[in-house]
Amino acid sequence: MIKILDTKDELDLGFALRIEVFVREQNVPVELELDDKDHSMNTVHIGYFNGDKLIGVARLTDMDKDVIHIGRVAIDREYRGRGIGHELIIGCENIAKQILKKEIIIELSAQIQAEKFYESLGYNRVNDKIYLDAGIKHVDMRKVIN
C-alpha cells in the first residue's frame, strides 16, 4: 500500500529507512540526508508499506511551485528488484496529481546508476551535465504528467 506519511511515527519510520539506505549503505553524511525540506509545509512524504512494514519511501517537495521534485527515494534492501521502486514513483506521481489537480512537471536528481530506471518511467535528462551530490554522480531528469 502506498500512502502519505502523516503521523510522527510514520515519518520517523521514513527517516530511519532513508538513514539506512543513504547514510549507512551509501555513506551520505546524515546532515546532508535529513534537511529543512523534510519539515516544510510544501513537502509530502510518501511511503510504501508491506503490511505494517515500511519498505519504500520518497518525498515530494516544492508542492507550491510550478515544478515539483521527487527525491529521497529509498527501498529497503530486502525488497529491491521486485518492482517496488516503480510502483512507488507511480504512486508519488498519482498523489501529486490528486493534490495539485492540474498538469504537473516533476523533476528529480537521479543517481547515475538509476538513470535507466527513471527512463523506464518516462523521465528524460534535462541536460548532459553529470554532477556530484554527496559524492555520488547524478543527472537531472524531468517528466510532464497530464
Side-chain angles (χ1 to χ4, degrees):
M1 171 180 64
I2 296 172
K3 67 182 282 286
I4 294 173
L5 303 178
D6 53 9
T7 69
K8 182 182 182 325
D9 288 344
E10 289 174 344
L11 287 169
D12 287 346
L13 288 173
F15 296 147
L17 180 55
R18 284 173 40 194
I19 288 170
E20 179 62 32
V21 171
F22 295 117
V23 177
R24 291 198 179 97
E25 291 180 25
Q26 297 183 359
N27 297 313
V28 173
V30 70
E31 61 272 10
L32 293 180
E33 176 50 33
L34 301 176
D35 61 25
D36 292 342
K37 288 185 179 182
D38 284 323
H39 304 289
S40 167
M41 296 298 294
N42 299 309
T43 296
V44 177
H45 296 272
I46 312 294
Y48 189 117
F49 286 85
N50 181 16
D52 290 339
K53 182 175 181 174
L54 180 69
I55 61 171
V57 68
R59 74 177 185 187
L60 301 170
T61 58
D62 301 325
M63 293 291 286
D64 61 331
K65 306 260 190 314
D66 291 333
V67 178
I68 66 171
H69 291 82
I70 292 177
R72 303 306 201 264
V73 179
I75 306 298
D76 185 303
R77 179 181 287 191
E78 181 182 336
Y79 292 88
R80 293 181 196 151
R82 301 183 191 182
I84 303 298
H86 185 275
E87 290 180 38
L88 179 60
I89 296 300
I90 297 298
C92 287
E93 294 171 356
N94 290 337
I95 288 170
K97 185 78 173 153
Q98 290 169 7
I99 292 171
L100 297 174
K101 296 178 175 36
K102 64 177 184 173
E103 178 181 274
I104 55 175
I105 299 169
I106 298 178
E107 287 186 343
L108 54 86
S109 178
Q111 291 185 8
I112 198 79
Q113 80 270 5
E115 182 178 8
K116 296 289 184 215
F117 165 75
Y118 288 109
E119 283 177 352
S120 76
L121 289 160
Y123 289 82
N124 296 297
R125 267 200 200 193
V126 173
N127 54 45
D128 291 331
K129 182 180 174 189
I130 297 173
Y131 57 93
L132 292 178
D133 185 2
I136 301 167
K137 290 182 181 178
H138 284 72
V139 294
D140 289 328
M141 302 187 81
R142 172 183 274 212
K143 180 179 181 179
V144 176
I145 300 174
N146 300 314

